């Protein structure tokens, strides 16, 4: 059973007396040192010669110096007070320290220095006079020690009423003011803690409701996708058989509505995966400009006949990222720009510009439209899920307020950045996605594997033969097999270990490609780089060090690039 974490009020309740004790004891130690230091000059406080003479007589040292007595008393008193300041002593030690402080009546000059130190002890005890902390024990023992020495040294003891009055005053201040103020403070902090706990509980409930809603939408999307696809195929077939039919326009409208519905289901699925943290990225070599051109061409075709111009510009930009997720980012940004520019109340044609440009060693994707713009106070809100701006937002085709939320989630997933949105009402908006230099694809010279020995393991003979042939075309020497046992025998005929392992993840045997990597590394006691290929992109096995996952089908250039990054001579 775990102990609950302390609240703020509990922390303050525990820390306040300790802090006050440290400060109070420090001030009392300074007062003790000051009383002792006056022996080096003229005594600033009245000095009781009778107390010193009685002490010298009792010790049999008539030549005893008052300075020596005062310094010895101060040293012992400071040593007694130090554990209290450090928090290493309790009430019993506080009594001993108080007796030492009260001994100033005998050793530090008489009644006046003793009263000064009693005042200092009273002030030092404020805020921690509970029995557990020892402040009250220090005050009472100091007063009792002073009174005891006063009774012992004089025939007419007169300090006890003063000591009693001072103790009463300090106890009254502690009870009436400090503790009462503390109780109000602790009650306020406890109330605040309760409000925070309630807020946290409400937030957890809200998150749970959001997750339930997301799971519900994802389930609905999964169930509806198949019948919608069937509807679209039927409409396509009817339109193909009778392209000039009077019902052609209705069929095209049906196709368009079906595409919108499937697009919304895709958004629900993407957002559900992002919220669950279940999104897997398959990093590959991607040309950003190709994706931008592809999305722009699709949007032009989807809005044929409408007053819309979509232009792309920029250079080829090769990066290492997930192509489908990058396409979704560009698609959502361009789709958002198209909707808002077409909806804008303007006499001119709607215009969307999509560009790829160098940016601080990396690249930037700019999506600019000439729509109505976004109010300044809504620039961050547009990235929240289910948020739509404008009174006509819900009539916008394909818009459910998830597009930009998905963009933000995918950008974070891929290690990219969203630049601040720039917008002028009535003029348009610019969204920018920054691809940092770390994502830039850096080609290895030649992109070859000349002289490398590769071990290939795949239980599919056709796929294995094709992979071996492709790798050999890059100059690599390959040892291949359909089982781990056969591969071991083949590798035993070579005088050196392979430079890298290229294993299929989905073997027919009980073990996977990752298990085979572990087995060979353990047998050889060598961390050989490994590339795992899989035909199921959704799989995300736990990979060991110096190991990468590549989805099928993968281009030869991607396989060679991945191996070059894994090989020790190319890492750095």
């Amino acid at each position: 059973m775990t102990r609950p974490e302390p609240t703020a009020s509990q922390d303050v309740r525990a820390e306040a007396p300790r802090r006050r004790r440290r400060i109070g004891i420090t001030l009392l130690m300074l007062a003790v040192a000051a009383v002792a230091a006056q022996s080096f000059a003229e005594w600033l406080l009245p000095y009781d010669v009778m107390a010193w003479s009685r002490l010298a007589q009792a010790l049999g040292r008539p030549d005893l110096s008052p300075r020596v007595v005062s310094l010895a008393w101060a040293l012992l008193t400071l040593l007694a007070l130090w554990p209290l300041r450090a928090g290493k002593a309790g009430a019993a030690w506080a009594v001993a320290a108080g007796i030492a402080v009260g001994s100033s009546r005998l050793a530090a000059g008489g009644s006046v220095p003793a009263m000064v130190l009693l005042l200092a002890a009273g002030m030092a005890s404020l805020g921690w006079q509970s029995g557990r902390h020892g402040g009250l024990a220090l005050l009472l023992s100091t007063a009792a020690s002073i009174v005891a020495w006063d009774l012992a040294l004089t025939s007419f003891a007169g300090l006890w009423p003063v000591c009693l009055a001072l103790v009463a005053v300090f106890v009254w201040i502690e009870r009436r003011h400090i503790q009462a103020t503390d109780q109000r403070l602790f009650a306020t902090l406890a109330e605040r803690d309760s409000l925070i706990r309630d807020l946290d509980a409400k937030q957890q409930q809200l998150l749970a409701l959001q997750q339930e809603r997301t799971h519900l939408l994802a389930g609905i999307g999964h169930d509806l996708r198949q019948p919608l696809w069937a509807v679209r195929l039927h409409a396509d077939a009817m339109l193909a058989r009778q392209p000039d039919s009077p019902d052609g326009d209705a069929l095209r409208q049906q196709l368009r509505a079906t595409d919108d519905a499937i697009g919304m289901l895709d958004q629900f699925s993407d957002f559900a995966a992002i919220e669950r943290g279940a999104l897997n990225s398959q990093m590959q070599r991607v040309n950003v400009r190709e994706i931008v051109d592809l999305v722009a061409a699709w949007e032009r075709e989807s809005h044929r006949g409408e007053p819309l111009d979509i232009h792309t510009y920029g250079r080829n930009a090769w990066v290492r990222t997930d192509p489908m997720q990058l396409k979704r980012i560009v698609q959502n940004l361009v789709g958002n720009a198209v909707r808002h520019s077409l909806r804008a109340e303007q006499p001119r044609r709607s215009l969307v510009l999509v560009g790829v440009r160098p940016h601080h060693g990396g690249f930037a994707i700019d999506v600019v439209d000439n729509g109505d713009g976004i109010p300044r106070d809504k620039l961050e809100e547009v990235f929240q899920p289910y948020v739509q701006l404008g009174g006509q937002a819900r009539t916008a085709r394909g818009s459910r307020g998830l597009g930009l939320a998905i963009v933000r989630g995918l950008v974070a997933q891929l290690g990219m950045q969203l630049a601040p949105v720039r917008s002028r009402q009535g003029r348009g908006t610019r969204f920018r996605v920054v691809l940092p230099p770390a994502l830039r694809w850096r080609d290895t010279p030649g992109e070859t594997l000349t002289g490398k020995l590769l071990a290939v393991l795949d239980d599919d003979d056709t796929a294995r033969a094709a992979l071996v042939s492709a790798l050999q075309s890059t100059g690599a020497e390959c040892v291949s097999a359909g089982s781990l046992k056969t591969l071991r025998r083949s590798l035993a005929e070579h005088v050196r270990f392979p430079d890298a392992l290229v294993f299929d993840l989905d073997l027919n045997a009980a073990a996977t490609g990752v298990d085979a990597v572990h087995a060979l590394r353990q047998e050889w006691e060598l961390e050989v780089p490994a590339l795992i290929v899989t035909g199921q992109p959704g799989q995300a096995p736990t990979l060991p060090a110096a190991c990468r996952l590549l989805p099928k089908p993968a281009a030869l250039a991607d396989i060679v690039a991945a191996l070059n990054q894994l090989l020790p001579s190319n890492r750095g």
Side-chain angles (χ1 to χ4, degrees):
M1 183 176 180
T2 58
R3 181 179 298 177
E5 295 184 2
T7 61
S9 62
Q10 293 171 337
D11 289 339
V12 172
R13 189 186 295 270
E15 181 61 26
R18 290 196 291 264
R19 185 182 297 272
R20 290 166 178 168
R21 179 172 59 187
R22 285 195 300 270
I23 296 174
I25 294 298
T26 300
L27 293 176
L28 181 56
M29 292 173 71
L30 290 175
V32 169
V35 168
Q38 68 175 344
S39 63
F40 287 93
E42 294 293 334
W43 290 87
L44 302 178
L45 300 176
Y47 189 83
D48 188 351
V49 180
M50 184 180 296
W52 166 74
S53 62
R54 288 195 177 186
L55 178 61
Q57 183 179 2
L59 296 176
R61 295 282 303 275
D63 58 342
L64 185 64
S65 168
R67 178 182 298 177
V68 173
V69 174
S70 179
L71 292 179
W73 162 82
L75 179 60
L76 292 174
T77 303
L78 292 176
L79 290 175
L81 289 172
W82 180 257
L84 280 178
R85 184 189 181 280
K88 299 178 180 179
W93 190 269
V95 172
I99 292 173
V101 174
S103 299
S104 58
R105 173 66 181 86
L106 170 68
S111 58
V112 176
M115 290 297 98
V116 171
L117 290 177
L118 180 59
L119 286 170
M123 296 174 61
S125 69
L126 293 176
W128 56 288
Q129 285 188 5
S130 66
R132 181 165 60 91
H133 294 101
L136 183 59
L138 175 68
L139 177 61
L140 293 176
S141 59
T142 300
S145 179
I146 292 173
V147 171
W149 284 114
D150 190 51
L151 291 173
L153 295 173
T154 62
S155 302
F156 303 98
L159 292 183
W160 68 267
V162 180
C163 292
L164 181 61
L166 289 176
V167 169
V169 168
F170 285 117
V171 171
W172 178 80
I173 293 174
E174 170 79 13
R175 298 291 189 272
R176 188 65 179 271
H177 294 283
I178 295 180
Q179 289 187 4
T181 302
D182 285 350
Q183 291 301 323
R184 290 193 295 270
L185 173 63
F186 297 152
T188 302
L189 290 175
E191 183 178 0
R192 191 199 67 171
D193 290 338
S194 177
L195 291 175
I196 291 176
R197 286 193 299 270
D198 291 343
L199 182 61
D200 289 341
K202 296 296 183 184
Q203 187 175 11
Q204 292 299 324
Q205 293 176 6
L206 179 60
L207 289 175
L209 290 174
Q210 287 180 340
Q211 290 177 353
E212 290 179 6
R213 177 200 61 196
T214 302
H215 294 163
L216 176 63
L217 292 175
I220 293 174
H222 180 271
D223 294 339
L224 290 180
R225 194 181 304 274
Q226 198 71 10
L228 283 173
W229 187 42
V231 169
R232 196 191 193 291
L233 289 177
H234 284 304
D236 271 333
M238 293 174 64
L239 192 61
R241 292 192 191 98
Q242 301 176 346
D244 299 325
S245 168
D247 297 328
D249 290 339
L251 289 173
R252 292 186 185 91
Q253 289 291 335
Q254 180 178 338
L255 287 173
R256 189 170 177 176
T258 305
D259 288 340
D260 289 343
I262 293 174
M264 284 185 284
L265 294 179
D266 289 340
Q267 285 192 346
F268 290 145
S269 298
D270 289 345
F271 187 66
I274 291 172
E275 274 201 332
R276 295 197 310 269
L279 202 61
N280 295 318
S281 300
Q282 304 299 331
M283 299 304 198
Q284 302 177 29
R285 184 171 181 260
V286 179
N287 187 349
V288 181
R289 178 59 196 268
E290 288 182 1
I291 288 183
V292 164
D293 290 338
L294 183 65
V295 171
W298 188 88
E299 288 287 348
R300 291 191 195 101
E301 181 65 24
S302 298
H303 295 84
R304 182 185 297 178
E306 298 185 53
L308 171 68
D309 294 322
I310 302 178
H311 299 294
T312 61
Y313 66 92
R315 47 179 270 185
N316 290 332
W318 294 94
V319 297
R320 182 176 177 272
T321 189
D322 185 300
M324 298 306 298
Q325 293 174 6
L326 179 60
K327 181 182 176 183
R328 174 65 70 185
I329 291 173
V330 177
Q331 206 168 32
N332 286 5
L333 289 176
V334 174
N336 179 76
V338 167
R339 284 193 299 273
H340 286 273
S341 59
L342 285 175
R343 203 174 62 223
E345 298 178 359
Q346 54 187 3
R348 61 187 184 277
R349 288 177 62 85
S350 298
L351 176 64
V352 175
L353 300 177
V354 190
V356 182
R357 52 187 293 270
H359 181 80
H360 299 299
F363 301 102
I365 304 172
D366 288 340
V367 180
V368 184
D369 65 68
N370 64 343
D372 288 334
I374 303 172
R376 185 180 299 272
D377 60 339
K378 303 291 185 181
L379 292 178
E380 289 296 327
E381 185 178 341
V382 295
F383 290 102
Q384 299 298 321
Y386 306 105
V387 170
Q388 297 172 311
L389 302 182
Q392 299 176 346
R394 293 203 174 273
T395 65
R397 175 185 169 213
S399 174
R400 287 300 179 270
L402 287 176
L404 294 182
I406 292 172
V407 167
R408 184 176 64 177
L410 292 177
V411 163
Q413 168 83 9
L414 296 175
M416 303 174 185
Q417 299 159 7
L418 273 175
V421 180
R422 291 186 178 179
S423 184
R424 294 180 62 183
Q425 287 192 268
R427 300 292 298 275
T429 304
R430 187 210 73 181
F431 289 89
R432 170 175 289 177
V433 177
V434 177
L435 290 75
L439 298 181
R440 188 167 185 163
W441 186 273
R442 305 186 186 279
D443 291 328
T444 303
E447 288 293 337
T448 66
L449 297 169
T450 302
K452 304 298 183 184
L453 177 61
L454 305 179
V456 180
L457 177 61
D458 194 329
D459 57 357
D460 188 318
D461 295 338
T462 303
R464 184 175 71 255
L467 179 58
V468 168
S469 176
L471 292 173
Q472 287 175 341
S473 71
T474 67
E477 179 184 358
C478 295
V479 178
S480 64
S483 67
L484 181 58
K485 182 178 179 180
T486 306
L487 183 64
R488 278 195 177 103
R489 286 200 304 264
S490 300
L491 288 173
E493 300 174 1
H494 286 72
V495 296
R496 65 187 177 105
F497 292 112
D499 295 294
L501 309 175
V502 183
F503 288 2
D504 186 63
L505 177 65
D506 313 297
L507 303 175
N508 282 336
T512 66
V514 175
D515 297 328
V517 170
H518 282 298
L520 290 179
R521 286 182 175 182
Q522 185 175 5
E523 178 181 333
W524 296 338
E525 297 182 355
L526 181 68
E527 190 179 84
V528 181
L531 179 65
I532 305 296
V533 292
T534 176
Q536 301 183 31
Q539 286 185 322
T542 301
L543 299 177
C547 187
R548 283 192 55 190
L549 185 70
L550 197 64
K552 296 178 183 179
L556 177 60
D558 294 334
I559 297 175
V560 174
L563 287 171
N564 273 317
Q565 290 180 354
L566 284 169
L567 291 170
S569 59
N570 297 324
R571 281 187 271 170

